[in-house]
Amino acid sequence: MSQTLSPERVRADVAELLGCDPAEIAPDDNLFDLGLDSVRIMTLVERWRSGGAADLEFPDLAEQPELAHWTALLTGGTA
């Protein structure tokens, strides 16, 4: 995975699709429970692929829909 995405961008992109403030998303929240669905996840996959995560696949996100996992996967850091 590329390390070009920042934790702040990952959080902001998720919050944008959920229609909430980025600060409202806890690192261990289940993003499906917050309203994220498969269509929105595909939107994020495409956005983040173009942002540098060229190898990102839908199951990478869907199997563990938590901000902390996604942030670690995409940036190598923590949420």
Side-chain angles (χ1 to χ4, degrees), residues 31-46:
L31 299 173
F32 290 138
D33 291 347
L34 296 180
L36 208 62
D37 58 25
S38 59
V39 173
R40 289 185 176 105
I41 288 178
M42 280 310 300
T43 300
L44 291 170
V45 168
E46 293 303 320

Side-chain angles (χ1 to χ4, degrees), residues 4-58:
T4 59
L5 295 166
S6 70
E8 295 78 16
R9 172 161 175 203
V10 172
R11 180 183 287 269
D13 286 349
V14 171
E16 177 187 334
L17 292 184
L18 287 173
C20 70
D21 187 281
E24 294 176 27
I25 306 170
D28 60 349
D29 280 346
N30 182 311
L31 299 173
F32 290 138
D33 291 347
L34 296 180
L36 208 62
D37 58 25
S38 59
V39 173
R40 289 185 176 105
I41 288 178
M42 280 310 300
T43 300
L44 291 170
V45 168
E46 293 303 320
R47 182 180 295 181
W48 292 338
R49 278 181 185 161
S50 67
D55 297 332
L56 185 66
E57 298 291 339
F58 177 83

